[in-house]
Amino acid sequence: MEIRRDDPTAPHVADLLAHHLRELRGVMAEHAFALDATGLSAPDVTFWTAWRGDALAGFAALKQLDAAHGEVKSMRAAPAARGTGVGRAMLNHIIAEARARGYARLSLETGTAPLHAPAVALYRSAGFVSCEAFADYRPSPHNQFLKLEFPA
């Protein structure tokens, strides 16, 4: 698998990103905070895609909240790539990048619906623990917050 920095507005990303947003908004409605291509193109967001040969296997993004704090954004494995290690590889890539940037903390917001259970299990297996809402998020029954702290 190859992970490379990419453009979230690229045509090869459009279908998977649209699927991602449609699925989340269908489950979470106004509580879905996933970014669209414009949001993923912001200067404080780094976007990567994962590839198996010529097939897009997934994408993920890292948003810089401040000099010591990053946020995992919009991780998604392509439907055909689920259960193949794409999510783990993307999460490991983001964690390595956060460490390389010198972050003290990596946070994320995700949903509470059954759809989110595999992702939450992945995050917890990587050491993420529950935390309070961060940045501009507000808690609700539809979302949960996790963090991974890096020792100094």
Side-chain angles (χ1 to χ4, degrees), residues 6-55:
D6 211 333
D7 177 1
T9 66
H12 59 263
V13 175
D15 288 343
L16 183 55
L17 182 56
H19 168 75
H20 176 66
L21 295 172
R22 191 171 45 253
E23 189 172 63
L24 290 178
R25 291 176 181 153
V27 173
M28 298 178 67
E30 72 275 5
H31 299 284
F33 299 109
L35 298 176
D36 61 12
T38 300
L40 290 169
S41 298
D44 58 351
V45 177
T46 306
F47 181 82
W48 295 276
T49 50
W51 296 85
R52 290 189 190 247
D54 293 336

Side-chain angles (χ1 to χ4, degrees), residues 79-120:
R82 287 187 181 152
T84 66
V86 173
R88 168 95 39 214
M90 296 298 294
L91 184 58
N92 288 345
H93 186 82
I94 288 174
I95 291 169
E97 180 67 19
R99 287 179 189 269
R101 291 181 183 186
Y103 291 167
R105 179 177 173 179
L106 190 55
S107 300
L108 65 90
E109 178 274 338
T110 192
T112 58
L115 165 76
H116 298 97
V120 171

